[in-house]
Amino acid sequence: MTLESLGNDKLHISNTYVREFLAEFLGTFILVSFGAGVNAQHVLSRGSAGSFLTVNFGWGMGCAMGVWVSGGISGGHINPAVSLAMAIIGKFKFRKVLIYWAAQYLGAFAASACVFGVYYDALNHYDGGIRSIHGDNGTAGIWGTYPSEFLQTRSGFADQTFGTMLLLLCVMAITDPRNMTPPKGMVPFAVGIVVFLIGATFGYNCGFAINPARDLSPRIFTAVAGWGSSCFSVDNYWFWVPVVGSHVGAIAGALIYLLFVGFHAEDEAAYDIEQKSSRRSEF
């Protein structure tokens, strides 16, 4: 008997809620491990082992890997804003939202702790053991997002809302069977490309959180790991902006897709027949 078959026989979990919780936990853990990891490498090397491009690529591919890991069990939300938006438009059961949220926030917190442990010596070498949020030796931004000094709160809220709106709009299109859906196994890669694009185009203002779990849980971790409560009060209590803005943007993005495309798409079967008929008419 192989280890895999033994696990399937003895360790298989039949409870759907538990299975989905574990999948979302691990998927979000993967996302934040790669994302915070690439941030740490870039910051702690003072830019010699990374760049703005590699940071965006790391978050994009980290998202893709997280969706690949969890998608077959939970759908690969790995983002509380995605779960809420999908529930609001009827593509996800409301009773599962809190379960997914718990898994996502806990997974992000666990990943934050792991990245801290892996880079602990490099962190101490960088700041001499004195943790700070901003300044030449500021490192809190490895985990949470913070606004550029010129950014006003209302502009930051608009930034987060717009970025997450783009994310959901594209995710809705990628996963819509009536649209130009990529092969099932390539869906995570397509979602990762969207995250990469958002970071590459809208990451300058405040770091493109576009995911409440990716920001709030790491922020909580830094608050208890040495950076203190200022992680929440700094920058005019910035912490709420990526959380609320992401939820608002996600709901808006899902609704916009439905209003502009989703409600007008042909049935999948009818679409296939029309496409085949169109191809025959070309010859």
Side-chain angles (χ1 to χ4, degrees):
M1 179 178 290
T2 65
L3 180 61
E4 182 178 7
S5 61
L6 178 63
N8 289 335
D9 291 340
K10 303 296 184 180
L11 300 178
H12 176 75
I13 297 173
S14 58
N15 187 294
T16 300
Y17 296 127
V18 175
R19 288 191 286 122
E20 291 174 342
F21 176 93
L22 293 175
E24 284 295 303
F25 176 96
L26 189 58
T28 313
F29 177 88
I30 294 294
L31 164 66
V32 177
S33 292
F34 283 125
V38 74
N39 283 353
Q41 181 166 274
H42 174 53
V43 171
L44 299 180
S45 69
R46 298 191 186 275
S48 65
S51 65
F52 185 67
L53 179 63
T54 62
V55 167
N56 295 324
F57 184 79
W59 278 104
M61 291 301 97
C63 179
M65 295 304 117
V67 175
W68 254 313
V69 166
S70 60
I73 301 295
S74 67
H77 291 189
I78 63 173
N79 184 334
V82 172
S83 299
L84 179 62
M86 292 300 175
I88 286 177
I89 65 173
K91 290 183 176 292
F92 184 63
K93 296 177 180 177
F94 262 107
R95 66 173 177 268
K96 292 185 177 183
V97 169
L98 291 181
I99 296 172
Y100 273 52
W101 280 6
Q104 292 154 357
Y105 282 110
L106 289 173
F109 187 92
S112 299
C114 288
V115 172
F116 178 81
V118 169
Y119 278 107
Y120 183 74
D121 291 339
L123 185 63
N124 286 334
H125 176 74
Y126 181 89
D127 65 9
I130 301 174
R131 307 293 185 244
S132 57
I133 297 173
H134 293 312
D136 292 339
N137 291 330
T139 49
I142 291 172
W143 287 273
T145 63
Y146 295 87
S148 297
E149 59 182 13
F150 58 80
L151 192 69
Q152 298 184 41
T153 299
R154 63 175 180 271
S155 299
F157 184 84
D159 176 287
Q160 290 300 294
T161 301
F162 185 71
T164 318
M165 180 272 290
L166 291 175
L167 173 67
L168 262 291
L169 199 160
C170 293
V171 166
M172 290 284 290
I174 290 168
T175 57
D176 187 346
R178 300 166 302 171
N179 208 324
M180 300 178 67
T181 309
K184 182 178 180 181
M186 293 302 294
V187 167
F189 182 67
V191 174
I193 290 176
V194 175
V195 173
F196 170 76
L197 284 172
I198 293 171
T201 53
F202 297 104
Y204 178 59
N205 280 337
C206 49
F208 78 106
I210 62 173
N211 182 335
R214 166 264 177 278
D215 187 86
L216 183 58
S217 288
R219 192 181 303 273
I220 293 172
F221 174 78
T222 53
V224 301
W227 284 263
S229 61
S230 294
C231 294
F232 290 91
S233 60
V234 72
D235 297 317
N236 195 28
Y237 292 88
W238 169 262
F239 79 93
W240 68 270
V241 175
V243 176
V244 179
S246 295
H247 281 105
V248 172
I251 296 167
L255 293 175
I256 289 171
Y257 178 80
L258 291 177
L259 290 172
F260 280 77
V261 178
F263 291 151
H264 318 297
E266 299 291 341
D267 179 75
E268 184 179 6
Y271 176 79
D272 289 340
I273 293 172
E274 181 179 346
Q275 288 295 95
K276 293 176 182 177
S277 175
S278 176
R279 293 192 193 101
R280 285 196 297 268
S281 67
E282 293 175 357
F283 297 96

